[in-house]
Amino acid sequence: MKRLSTIGLGLLIASCAASAFGQGLLIVEDTRPVPLPRPIFRRTPEPPQMTYKIKELAVQARIDDQVARTQVTQSFVNTGSRQMEVSFVFPLPYDGAIDRLTFMVDGTEYEAKLMKASEARSIYEGYIRRNQDPALLEWMGTGMFKTSVFPVPPGAERKVTLRYSQLLRKDHQLTDFLFPLSTAKYTSHAVEKVSVEASIQSTQEIKSVYSPTHSIEVKRPGKHQATIKFEAQNQIPESDFRLFFDTAAGSLGASVVSYRPEPNEDGYFLLLASPEVKSASAARAAKTVVVVVDRSGSMSGKKIEQAREALKFVVNNLRDGDLFNIVAYDSSVESFRPELQKFNEETRQQAVGWIEGIYAGGSTNIDGALKTALGMFQDEKRPGYVVFLTDGLPTAGETNESKIVVNSTKNNKYDVRLINFGVGYDVNARLLDRLSRENRGQSEFVRPNEDLEAHVSRLYDKISSPVMTNVAVDFELDEVRVEEGRPVTRVYPRQLTDLFEGEQLVLVGRYKKHGPAKVTIKGRVGDDEREFDFPAELVQHSGDQSYSFVEKLWAMRRVGEIIDELDLHGANQELVTELVALSTKHGIITPYTSFLADDQPQSGPVADIRRGRDRAAEQLRQLEVADGRIGFEQRNEKKALQEANLAPTSSGFAATRPQAASEGDSAGFPGDSGRASGVKYRDLESGEEVSADGVQIVGSETLYKRGKTWIASSAVDIDPAKDAAKIKTIERFSTEYFELTKKNTAGENAVLARQQTGEELLITLRGQTYCIK
């Protein structure tokens, strides 16, 4: 078993322009060869080690237009029993965008020496050869700053601070901020606290603020300011943090990012669109809202209490000029007033009093309730919404699922959006999905232990202020003939409805033709039809993987749409084949393709289309279940895929490892070797999230474990037994190995960096398949 680390990879990381890497490394100045401090499962006692853990990582950035000033503070602890003599290495971004770099330890500034790329590569390669660990491959080929040595006594904590300025990359109106957070995955313990905060100040109005990698909280103090925040506890970061924001004058802003890895195949695009941020006193479009609540016997107890509070929230957050009503149903249907009411203080008080008198009892007449609610709408120009709550199956009136859907569309004469909330596991989740799809709405599912009021208030907050209704997006390109069809296809979400204040539209799709394009967004603003157009550039070929997340985001939404088609319209062999192909290429594991995570050795290639299609088709039969836990979880998972805004990763953060048994011991699982948790999906039987540890996502590649071999998605069609003549074998850390790394991109070397001692890697690079042993 290898001893301690000559290289400890810390998390003092510089942000850089897209595709650049600017990570910080703690270097333990010890002459003995030792591995990086990855979690290792130990079966026998080991001599005292030099190990450390990252206790806290805080990133604070101030972005003024295109210039970012960033401070990174990391607290790390020497968890070993020997003093560590360490230095700090900071790889430079390829474009040298970093300026005014300051490095301090506990407030004392240390000098940093600049090394050119050739000299830095020699240092990196020496570390890798000496320690037989490829983790540093991700940062070869860049220059570096290297600081002087400073001591860390056993048990001591050091706070290291890095400050720098950088010029961010800007693509048309879209500014790109990248912080390589994932270097913290090499710590031997979970990081107790990770936080990223950024404040954005722009001379132009800020429209969309979007992260494809992390779920961020966004606040907008004004048109020219935005703040973002991300925080996690006891986690190991696994993906870099990326942030986009666009700027534009006017009432609507839009930006397009395109990615085309293969010039002879359709490309991928991402469109971000946001309305301007209005002040609290600004006039808002009037709307009509009818809330429909299930008061059947199954809603008794806590459910009906939460439902009453949810109704009060909606009523209390209406605005002057809005029209509203409330419908309560069991076997019969009753409304607050026979017709729509104009919202004012008097009607608000009366409605809240009426809500207090709603009690549970009786059957569930879903069809009758929807007929009553939809029949109240009389104005097609005013945006209208039905907020529909139910916890059960239709048991009174019309109970046939298909007829209820047909009746809803027949009664919806004014293009009303149907917003459904399914409460608990007894709902007919498929019925709610069909109702929302046919009535341009959406469905949300609330687990039994979740707060219904919180779900309703969160969604209503979003839809309370429509800025543009009946939204449509169109792409126009020069020299596209009518007979060639639409220039963009397979656009998701499939149907657009309204754009709300504080919300942004995230649209993905494919494109056939490259070149300059005009994007037109049409819709109704108040009583007027409005049209906005924006320039876009659909690239012919992407030279790097800067925007590869666009392809993966599209693939996630496409998988959700395929599942929806199979759910609502039944079996389709072509769709099942496409589902398996997309899941295999992108590592999008669903309950129907979980067999891809099987890490047992098998004959034949991973991408055995017939075998995969047959296994997926068998699992997809579960879509016949419309209610119960399985019915509920299937529609919830489908919705998450259809509405995905984050590109798939192995895990934004890996599961917390157990604490070490004794000082100097590393924490981990058997065979884990510090690798991230796998791709996650939800088990339909238990409702629990499952980590598919046999599948890892590294950048744009997906890795599948089969025995001791990791197979990259670029090589899933290779059968090692039959295609041996196509495979070139290379020994890790040999001269040939390092020659290969010189030809690779940083993303390709990141895949090689995941390989561990005792494992093999099968990967195709530039048309040649390699087996690295």
Side-chain angles (χ1 to χ4, degrees):
M1 188 70 66
K2 292 181 181 177
R3 291 169 62 88
L4 174 84
S5 182
T6 298
I7 304 170
L9 192 57
L11 188 51
L12 299 176
I13 308 172
S15 179
C16 51
S19 297
F21 293 85
Q23 286 81 353
L25 299 81
L26 286 176
I27 305 299
V28 181
E29 301 294 343
D30 192 308
T31 58
R32 291 168 294 177
V34 284
L36 283 166
R38 302 171 184 260
I40 299 172
F41 179 69
R42 303 192 182 283
R43 295 178 174 81
T44 58
E46 292 289 322
Q49 291 193 332
M50 288 190 296
T51 59
Y52 74 90
K53 70 173 182 180
I54 299 171
K55 186 177 180 180
E56 183 177 355
L57 171 67
V59 181
Q60 296 172 312
R62 176 181 173 84
I63 302 172
D64 292 298
D65 289 321
Q66 204 177 336
V67 177
R69 296 172 178 84
T70 304
Q71 174 173 295
V72 187
T73 302
Q74 172 186 293
S75 295
F76 68 93
V77 180
N78 181 352
T79 55
S81 56
R82 297 171 51 198
Q83 177 164 296
M84 300 171 66
E85 298 292 332
V86 303
S87 61
F88 180 80
V89 166
F90 179 77
L92 286 179
Y94 71 96
D95 58 1
I98 299 297
D99 182 31
R100 293 190 297 176
L101 184 145
T102 303
F103 177 70
M104 293 182 292
V105 179
D106 290 342
T108 301
E109 187 170 338
Y110 280 73
E111 182 184 357
K113 181 182 178 182
L114 177 63
M115 297 181 179
K116 295 181 179 179
S118 58
E119 185 181 3
R121 181 183 180 90
S122 177
I123 293 173
Y124 290 144
E125 195 169 308
Y127 287 147
I128 294 168
R129 289 179 185 274
R130 185 167 59 195
N131 294 282
Q132 299 291 285
D133 193 315
L136 296 178
L137 285 175
E138 298 177 58
W139 307 292
M140 293 176 68
T142 69
M144 68 160 74
F145 280 103
K146 188 174 186 298
T147 70
S148 53
V149 177
F150 58 95
V152 186
E157 179 177 342
R158 288 286 184 266
K159 180 173 286 188
V160 180
T161 303
L162 181 69
R163 294 174 183 165
Y164 59 90
S165 299
Q166 78 180 109
L167 183 67
L168 302 180
R169 189 171 82 168
K170 190 169 185 177
D171 187 352
H172 294 87
Q173 299 171 160
L174 202 62
T175 304
D176 184 359
F177 175 78
L178 173 67
F179 187 88
L181 193 65
S182 64
T183 47
K185 64 178 174 272
Y186 296 113
T187 180
S188 59
H189 295 69
V191 182
E192 293 181 16
K193 181 181 179 181
V194 178
S195 63
V196 181
E197 296 181 9
S199 63
I200 306 170
Q201 181 83 28
S202 175
T203 51
Q204 292 184 292
E205 294 178 16
I206 299 172
K207 292 301 192 295
S208 298
V209 180
Y210 168 69
S211 172
T213 56
H214 293 77
S215 296
I216 57 175
E217 176 187 344
V218 181
K219 294 183 178 179
R220 297 170 178 268
K223 296 180 180 181
H224 298 269
Q225 299 87 31
T227 61
I228 69 97
K229 185 175 182 180
F230 170 80
E231 188 171 302
Q233 307 284 338
N234 296 316
Q235 303 284 344
I236 296 182
E238 269 300 316
S239 61
D240 294 335
F241 180 87
R242 198 163 186 189
L243 179 71
F244 292 96
F245 66 92
D246 71 354
T247 54
S251 56
L252 188 68
S255 293
V256 174
V257 171
S258 60
Y259 177 66
R260 195 175 193 176
E262 300 297 334
N264 57 340
E265 297 179 6
D266 288 1
Y268 305 84
F269 73 85
L270 163 71
L271 180 145
L272 300 173
S274 294
E276 66 179 337
V277 179
K278 294 185 177 181
S279 64
S281 60
R284 293 175 170 89
K287 60 188 179 298
T288 301
V289 179
V290 177
V291 189
V292 184
V293 60
D294 186 344
R295 63 178 183 188
S296 62
S298 59
M299 286 286 291
S300 61
K302 186 176 181 180
K303 285 184 186 178
I304 199 67
E305 293 174 8
Q306 289 185 350
R308 283 196 292 261
E309 293 305 311
L311 291 178
K312 291 178 190 177
F313 178 89
V314 173
V315 170
N316 287 329
N317 283 274
L318 292 167
R319 298 190 175 97
D320 290 340
D322 288 345
L323 299 178
F324 79 102
N325 210 336
I326 307 166
V327 175
Y329 70 97
D330 44 38
S331 50
S332 61
V333 180
E334 180 184 4
S335 58
F336 164 55
R337 292 286 187 269
E339 58 189 19
L340 294 172
Q341 298 294 295
K342 183 175 290 186
F343 177 79
N344 54 42
E345 182 57 23
E346 181 181 359
T347 57
R348 186 196 70 79
Q349 292 179 4
Q350 292 171 350
V352 170
W354 191 83
I355 290 168
E356 286 292 345
I358 297 176
Y359 294 94
S363 302
T364 309
N365 187 354
I366 289 177
D367 186 64
L370 288 174
K371 181 178 180 181
T372 299
L374 291 168
M376 294 180 178
F377 291 83
Q378 301 295 327
D379 186 354
E380 64 181 4
K381 292 184 179 180
R382 177 189 290 255
Y385 306 92
V386 168
V387 179
F388 182 76
L389 286 73
T390 184
D391 80 330
L393 309 173
T395 57
E398 180 59 69
T399 58
N400 181 275
E401 180 180 319
S402 297
K403 289 183 179 179
I404 291 173
V405 175
V406 170
N407 289 343
S408 73
T409 57
K410 183 171 64 177
N411 293 321
N412 190 354
K413 299 177 182 179
Y414 296 97
D415 204 18
V416 176
R417 280 46 160 166
L418 186 52
I419 313 296
N420 300 315
F421 289 87
V423 186
Y425 295 136
D426 294 331
V427 298
N428 184 327
R430 183 175 59 209
L431 169 61
L432 295 188
D433 267 2
R434 293 182 68 182
L435 284 168
S436 62
R437 180 156 180 164
E438 295 300 321
N439 292 277
R440 302 188 69 187
Q442 60 181 292
S443 295
E444 186 151 332
F445 301 98
V446 185
R447 292 189 174 84
N449 61 341
E450 294 179 326
D451 189 340
L452 170 61
E453 181 192 353
H455 277 263
V456 173
S457 60
R458 183 169 57 248
L459 184 59
Y460 183 76
D461 268 342
K462 187 182 82 169
I463 70 171
S464 62
S465 301
V467 174
M468 177 180 283
T469 59
N470 297 319
V471 175
V473 178
D474 187 41
F475 280 73
E476 296 180 31
L477 280 84
D478 295 335
E479 301 178 0
V480 176
R481 299 188 302 274
V482 174
E483 58 268 28
E484 292 179 305
R486 296 181 58 200
V488 301
T489 59
R490 292 162 286 177
V491 177
Y492 306 112
R494 180 188 296 272
Q495 60 180 18
L496 300 178
T497 52
D498 306 330
L499 193 55
F500 301 96
E501 181 182 327
E503 184 194 28
Q504 59 191 21
L505 172 64
V506 181
L507 194 75
V508 293
R510 305 290 301 270
Y511 65 89
K512 299 178 182 179
K513 294 282 188 177
H514 67 274
K518 183 174 78 171
V519 182
T520 304
I521 300 178
K522 303 176 182 178
R524 180 183 292 274
V525 178
D527 294 331
D528 302 323
E529 295 290 339
R530 298 287 300 277
E531 181 175 307
F532 305 87
D533 59 73
F534 310 89
E537 181 70 30
L538 302 179
V539 299
Q540 181 178 9
H541 179 236
S542 299
D544 58 36
Q545 298 176 349
S546 297
Y547 296 137
S548 61
F549 70 88
V550 177
E551 177 182 3
K552 288 193 172 292
L553 184 59
W554 178 88
M556 284 191 77
R557 291 194 178 182
R558 176 58 185 162
V559 166
E561 285 297 322
I562 291 173
I563 295 172
D564 191 48
E565 288 288 334
L566 295 170
D567 184 18
L568 303 184
H569 302 295
N572 181 304
Q573 183 170 302
E574 289 183 359
L575 288 178
V576 176
T577 300
E578 185 183 357
L579 171 65
V580 174
L582 286 170
S583 295
T584 303
K585 180 178 180 180
H586 299 286
I588 303 170
I589 305 302
T590 70
Y592 320 110
T593 54
S594 58
F595 55 84
L596 291 170
D598 181 8
D599 62 359
Q600 298 303 309
Q602 63 181 37
S603 59
V606 173
D608 186 327
I609 299 300
R610 173 179 288 184
R611 180 169 55 186
R613 184 192 64 211
D614 291 347
R615 293 180 72 175
E618 178 65 28
Q619 292 296 315
L620 282 160
R621 291 178 183 174
Q622 295 176 95
L623 286 171
E624 297 172 5
V625 180
D627 56 357
R629 182 193 287 273
I630 291 179
F632 178 101
E633 296 294 356
Q634 288 187 105
R635 278 74 196 186
N636 217 19
E637 283 293 282
K638 176 180 71 175
K639 178 177 182 289
L641 287 164
Q642 288 177 298
E643 299 179 359
N645 281 342
L646 303 182
T649 60
S650 289
S651 171
F653 283 85
T656 301
R657 269 75 170 180
Q659 291 300 310
S662 61
E663 184 183 43
D665 237 2
S666 293
F669 300 135
D672 179 69
S673 299
R675 198 187 306 277
S677 294
V679 175
K680 296 186 184 300
Y681 68 97
R682 193 169 295 278
D683 179 78
L684 300 181
E685 292 284 351
S686 66
E688 299 294 325
E689 197 172 51
V690 177
S691 179
D693 293 328
V695 184
Q696 299 287 331
I697 296 176
V698 185
S700 61
E701 277 276 18
T702 302
L703 300 175
Y704 295 92
K705 193 172 187 183
R706 296 295 181 262
K708 67 175 183 179
T709 303
W710 285 93
I711 302 172
S713 53
S714 56
V716 292
D717 292 320
I718 299 294
D719 184 344
K722 297 180 179 179
D723 300 323
K726 300 178 182 178
I727 302 172
K728 185 175 182 179
T729 301
I730 291 181
E731 185 179 346
R732 287 174 80 204
F733 315 125
S734 64
T735 300
E736 194 174 14
Y737 176 86
F738 283 107
E739 286 299 319
L740 178 65
T741 65
K742 290 179 181 179
K743 300 175 184 177
N744 289 344
T745 65
E748 290 165 343
N749 278 337
V751 179
L752 270 60
R754 288 298 180 97
Q755 186 178 359
Q756 302 293 297
T757 301
E759 297 177 346
E760 296 181 357
L761 173 65
L762 193 69
I763 185 171
T764 300
L765 300 167
R766 297 170 292 280
Q768 173 63 55
T769 301
Y770 298 91
C771 179
I772 301 175
K773 295 187 175 183

PDB file of all heavy atoms in Angstrom, residues 579-598:
ATOM      1  N   LEU A 579     -34.012   6.166 -26.582  1.00  0.00           N
ATOM      2  CA  LEU A 579     -33.836   6.372 -25.141  1.00  0.00           C
ATOM      3  C   LEU A 579     -32.572   5.675 -24.646  1.00  0.00           C
ATOM      4  O   LEU A 579     -31.762   6.264 -23.917  1.00  0.00           O
ATOM      5  CB  LEU A 579     -35.059   5.828 -24.388  1.00  0.00           C
ATOM      6  CG  LEU A 579     -34.960   5.759 -22.863  1.00  0.00           C
ATOM      7  CD1 LEU A 579     -34.854   7.158 -22.272  1.00  0.00           C
ATOM      8  CD2 LEU A 579     -36.152   5.019 -22.285  1.00  0.00           C
ATOM      9  N   VAL A 580     -32.370   4.432 -25.056  1.00  0.00           N
ATOM     10  CA  VAL A 580     -31.192   3.681 -24.624  1.00  0.00           C
ATOM     11  C   VAL A 580     -29.915   4.307 -25.176  1.00  0.00           C
ATOM     12  O   VAL A 580     -28.911   4.433 -24.464  1.00  0.00           O
ATOM     13  CB  VAL A 580     -31.299   2.198 -25.049  1.00  0.00           C
ATOM     14  CG1 VAL A 580     -30.012   1.443 -24.732  1.00  0.00           C
ATOM     15  CG2 VAL A 580     -32.478   1.535 -24.343  1.00  0.00           C
ATOM     16  N   ALA A 581     -29.947   4.733 -26.446  1.00  0.00           N
ATOM     17  CA  ALA A 581     -28.759   5.341 -27.059  1.00  0.00           C
ATOM     18  C   ALA A 581     -28.368   6.630 -26.353  1.00  0.00           C
ATOM     19  O   ALA A 581     -27.187   6.870 -26.064  1.00  0.00           O
ATOM     20  CB  ALA A 581     -29.013   5.587 -28.548  1.00  0.00           C
ATOM     21  N   LEU A 582     -29.337   7.492 -26.060  1.00  0.00           N
ATOM     22  CA  LEU A 582     -29.049   8.747 -25.366  1.00  0.00           C
ATOM     23  C   LEU A 582     -28.553   8.492 -23.944  1.00  0.00           C
ATOM     24  O   LEU A 582     -27.611   9.139 -23.476  1.00  0.00           O
ATOM     25  CB  LEU A 582     -30.291   9.633 -25.328  1.00  0.00           C
ATOM     26  CG  LEU A 582     -30.687  10.311 -26.637  1.00  0.00           C
ATOM     27  CD1 LEU A 582     -32.063  10.958 -26.515  1.00  0.00           C
ATOM     28  CD2 LEU A 582     -29.659  11.350 -27.048  1.00  0.00           C
ATOM     29  N   SER A 583     -29.186   7.566 -23.257  1.00  0.00           N
ATOM     30  CA  SER A 583     -28.769   7.242 -21.892  1.00  0.00           C
ATOM     31  C   SER A 583     -27.346   6.714 -21.871  1.00  0.00           C
ATOM     32  O   SER A 583     -26.550   7.075 -20.997  1.00  0.00           O
ATOM     33  CB  SER A 583     -29.726   6.212 -21.282  1.00  0.00           C
ATOM     34  OG  SER A 583     -31.016   6.746 -21.124  1.00  0.00           O
ATOM     35  N   THR A 584     -27.010   5.875 -22.847  1.00  0.00           N
ATOM     36  CA  THR A 584     -25.671   5.287 -22.904  1.00  0.00           C
ATOM     37  C   THR A 584     -24.619   6.340 -23.197  1.00  0.00           C
ATOM     38  O   THR A 584     -23.571   6.401 -22.543  1.00  0.00           O
ATOM     39  CB  THR A 584     -25.617   4.187 -23.977  1.00  0.00           C
ATOM     40  OG1 THR A 584     -26.612   3.203 -23.696  1.00  0.00           O
ATOM     41  CG2 THR A 584     -24.246   3.528 -24.009  1.00  0.00           C
ATOM     42  N   LYS A 585     -24.874   7.190 -24.185  1.00  0.00           N
ATOM     43  CA  LYS A 585     -23.884   8.193 -24.579  1.00  0.00           C
ATOM     44  C   LYS A 585     -23.636   9.216 -23.482  1.00  0.00           C
ATOM     45  O   LYS A 585     -22.488   9.606 -23.223  1.00  0.00           O
ATOM     46  CB  LYS A 585     -24.340   8.887 -25.858  1.00  0.00           C
ATOM     47  CG  LYS A 585     -23.350   9.955 -26.338  1.00  0.00           C
ATOM     48  CD  LYS A 585     -23.815  10.598 -27.642  1.00  0.00           C
ATOM     49  CE  LYS A 585     -22.818  11.660 -28.102  1.00  0.00           C
ATOM     50  NZ  LYS A 585     -23.247  12.311 -29.369  1.00  0.00           N
ATOM     51  N   HIS A 586     -24.715   9.654 -22.810  1.00  0.00           N
ATOM     52  CA  HIS A 586     -24.603  10.791 -21.896  1.00  0.00           C
ATOM     53  C   HIS A 586     -24.646  10.406 -20.421  1.00  0.00           C
ATOM     54  O   HIS A 586     -24.538  11.278 -19.563  1.00  0.00           O
ATOM     55  CB  HIS A 586     -25.703  11.806 -22.199  1.00  0.00           C
ATOM     56  CG  HIS A 586     -25.630  12.373 -23.578  1.00  0.00           C
ATOM     57  ND1 HIS A 586     -24.677  13.299 -23.935  1.00  0.00           N
ATOM     58  CD2 HIS A 586     -26.369  12.134 -24.691  1.00  0.00           C
ATOM     59  CE1 HIS A 586     -24.846  13.614 -25.223  1.00  0.00           C
ATOM     60  NE2 HIS A 586     -25.854  12.930 -25.696  1.00  0.00           N
ATOM     61  N   GLY A 587     -24.798   9.133 -20.123  1.00  0.00           N
ATOM     62  CA  GLY A 587     -24.826   8.726 -18.727  1.00  0.00           C
ATOM     63  C   GLY A 587     -26.063   9.207 -17.996  1.00  0.00           C
ATOM     64  O   GLY A 587     -26.018   9.487 -16.799  1.00  0.00           O
ATOM     65  N   ILE A 588     -27.189   9.300 -18.700  1.00  0.00           N
ATOM     66  CA  ILE A 588     -28.447   9.730 -18.084  1.00  0.00           C
ATOM     67  C   ILE A 588     -29.173   8.469 -17.624  1.00  0.00           C
ATOM     68  O   ILE A 588     -29.899   7.835 -18.391  1.00  0.00           O
ATOM     69  CB  ILE A 588     -29.302  10.535 -19.079  1.00  0.00           C
ATOM     70  CG1 ILE A 588     -28.510  11.731 -19.599  1.00  0.00           C
ATOM     71  CG2 ILE A 588     -30.602  10.988 -18.425  1.00  0.00           C
ATOM     72  CD1 ILE A 588     -29.168  12.443 -20.762  1.00  0.00           C
ATOM     73  N   ILE A 589     -28.950   8.102 -16.373  1.00  0.00           N
ATOM     74  CA  ILE A 589     -29.518   6.863 -15.862  1.00  0.00           C
ATOM     75  C   ILE A 589     -30.922   7.120 -15.335  1.00  0.00           C
ATOM     76  O   ILE A 589     -31.150   8.011 -14.518  1.00  0.00           O
ATOM     77  CB  ILE A 589     -28.628   6.279 -14.745  1.00  0.00           C
ATOM     78  CG1 ILE A 589     -27.193   6.107 -15.251  1.00  0.00           C
ATOM     79  CG2 ILE A 589     -29.178   4.945 -14.272  1.00  0.00           C
ATOM     80  CD1 ILE A 589     -27.049   5.227 -16.477  1.00  0.00           C
ATOM     81  N   THR A 590     -31.872   6.363 -15.829  1.00  0.00           N
ATOM     82  CA  THR A 590     -33.264   6.439 -15.410  1.00  0.00           C
ATOM     83  C   THR A 590     -33.661   5.095 -14.803  1.00  0.00           C
ATOM     84  O   THR A 590     -32.913   4.108 -14.913  1.00  0.00           O
ATOM     85  CB  THR A 590     -34.174   6.734 -16.612  1.00  0.00           C
ATOM     86  OG1 THR A 590     -34.199   5.569 -17.463  1.00  0.00           O
ATOM     87  CG2 THR A 590     -33.663   7.929 -17.417  1.00  0.00           C
ATOM     88  N   PRO A 591     -34.819   4.999 -14.173  1.00  0.00           N
ATOM     89  CA  PRO A 591     -35.263   3.681 -13.677  1.00  0.00           C
ATOM     90  C   PRO A 591     -35.390   2.645 -14.782  1.00  0.00           C
ATOM     91  O   PRO A 591     -35.389   1.446 -14.497  1.00  0.00           O
ATOM     92  CB  PRO A 591     -36.635   3.996 -13.060  1.00  0.00           C
ATOM     93  CG  PRO A 591     -36.570   5.442 -12.689  1.00  0.00           C
ATOM     94  CD  PRO A 591     -35.743   6.082 -13.755  1.00  0.00           C
ATOM     95  N   TYR A 592     -35.488   3.089 -16.031  1.00  0.00           N
ATOM     96  CA  TYR A 592     -35.660   2.171 -17.153  1.00  0.00           C
ATOM     97  C   TYR A 592     -34.339   1.784 -17.812  1.00  0.00           C
ATOM     98  O   TYR A 592     -34.303   0.890 -18.653  1.00  0.00           O
ATOM     99  CB  TYR A 592     -36.598   2.810 -18.191  1.00  0.00           C
ATOM    100  CG  TYR A 592     -37.740   3.551 -17.547  1.00  0.00           C
ATOM    101  CD1 TYR A 592     -37.814   4.941 -17.587  1.00  0.00           C
ATOM    102  CD2 TYR A 592     -38.736   2.862 -16.849  1.00  0.00           C
ATOM    103  CE1 TYR A 592     -38.844   5.630 -16.966  1.00  0.00           C
ATOM    104  CE2 TYR A 592     -39.766   3.541 -16.222  1.00  0.00           C
ATOM    105  CZ  TYR A 592     -39.815   4.923 -16.270  1.00  0.00           C
ATOM    106  OH  TYR A 592     -40.831   5.599 -15.646  1.00  0.00           O
ATOM    107  N   THR A 593     -33.252   2.491 -17.474  1.00  0.00           N
ATOM    108  CA  THR A 593     -31.938   2.161 -18.045  1.00  0.00           C
ATOM    109  C   THR A 593     -30.905   1.952 -16.949  1.00  0.00           C
ATOM    110  O   THR A 593     -29.711   2.109 -17.185  1.00  0.00           O
ATOM    111  CB  THR A 593     -31.468   3.287 -18.999  1.00  0.00           C
ATOM    112  OG1 THR A 593     -31.492   4.543 -18.309  1.00  0.00           O
ATOM    113  CG2 THR A 593     -32.359   3.374 -20.222  1.00  0.00           C
ATOM    114  N   SER A 594     -31.357   1.606 -15.758  1.00  0.00           N
ATOM    115  CA  SER A 594     -30.433   1.412 -14.636  1.00  0.00           C
ATOM    116  C   SER A 594     -29.498   0.232 -14.866  1.00  0.00           C
ATOM    117  O   SER A 594     -28.446   0.134 -14.227  1.00  0.00           O
ATOM    118  CB  SER A 594     -31.212   1.210 -13.335  1.00  0.00           C
ATOM    119  OG  SER A 594     -32.097   0.105 -13.431  1.00  0.00           O
ATOM    120  N   PHE A 595     -29.845  -0.655 -15.814  1.00  0.00           N
ATOM    121  CA  PHE A 595     -28.981  -1.790 -16.123  1.00  0.00           C
ATOM    122  C   PHE A 595     -27.628  -1.330 -16.671  1.00  0.00           C
ATOM    123  O   PHE A 595     -26.652  -2.076 -16.628  1.00  0.00           O
ATOM    124  CB  PHE A 595     -29.658  -2.734 -17.131  1.00  0.00           C
ATOM    125  CG  PHE A 595     -30.090  -2.072 -18.397  1.00  0.00           C
ATOM    126  CD1 PHE A 595     -29.204  -1.880 -19.455  1.00  0.00           C
ATOM    127  CD2 PHE A 595     -31.393  -1.627 -18.555  1.00  0.00           C
ATOM    128  CE1 PHE A 595     -29.603  -1.259 -20.622  1.00  0.00           C
ATOM    129  CE2 PHE A 595     -31.807  -1.008 -19.723  1.00  0.00           C
ATOM    130  CZ  PHE A 595     -30.912  -0.831 -20.760  1.00  0.00           C
ATOM    131  N   LEU A 596     -27.560  -0.091 -17.175  1.00  0.00           N
ATOM    132  CA  LEU A 596     -26.283   0.420 -17.672  1.00  0.00           C
ATOM    133  C   LEU A 596     -25.253   0.557 -16.556  1.00  0.00           C
ATOM    134  O   LEU A 596     -24.058   0.626 -16.809  1.00  0.00           O
ATOM    135  CB  LEU A 596     -26.487   1.775 -18.351  1.00  0.00           C
ATOM    136  CG  LEU A 596     -27.262   1.773 -19.676  1.00  0.00           C
ATOM    137  CD1 LEU A 596     -27.593   3.191 -20.104  1.00  0.00           C
ATOM    138  CD2 LEU A 596     -26.472   1.052 -20.753  1.00  0.00           C
ATOM    139  N   ALA A 597     -25.733   0.627 -15.312  1.00  0.00           N
ATOM    140  CA  ALA A 597     -24.824   0.783 -14.173  1.00  0.00           C
ATOM    141  C   ALA A 597     -24.306  -0.554 -13.656  1.00  0.00           C
ATOM    142  O   ALA A 597     -23.559  -0.583 -12.676  1.00  0.00           O
ATOM    143  CB  ALA A 597     -25.531   1.528 -13.043  1.00  0.00           C
ATOM    144  N   ASP A 598     -24.678  -1.641 -14.301  1.00  0.00           N
ATOM    145  CA  ASP A 598     -24.197  -2.965 -13.884  1.00  0.00           C
ATOM    146  C   ASP A 598     -22.696  -3.042 -14.102  1.00  0.00           C
ATOM    147  O   ASP A 598     -22.218  -2.975 -15.229  1.00  0.00           O
ATOM    148  CB  ASP A 598     -24.915  -4.034 -14.713  1.00  0.00           C
ATOM    149  CG  ASP A 598     -24.496  -5.448 -14.339  1.00  0.00           C
ATOM    150  OD1 ASP A 598     -23.757  -5.597 -13.335  1.00  0.00           O
ATOM    151  OD2 ASP A 598     -24.895  -6.386 -15.039  1.00  0.00           O
TER     152      ASP A 598
END
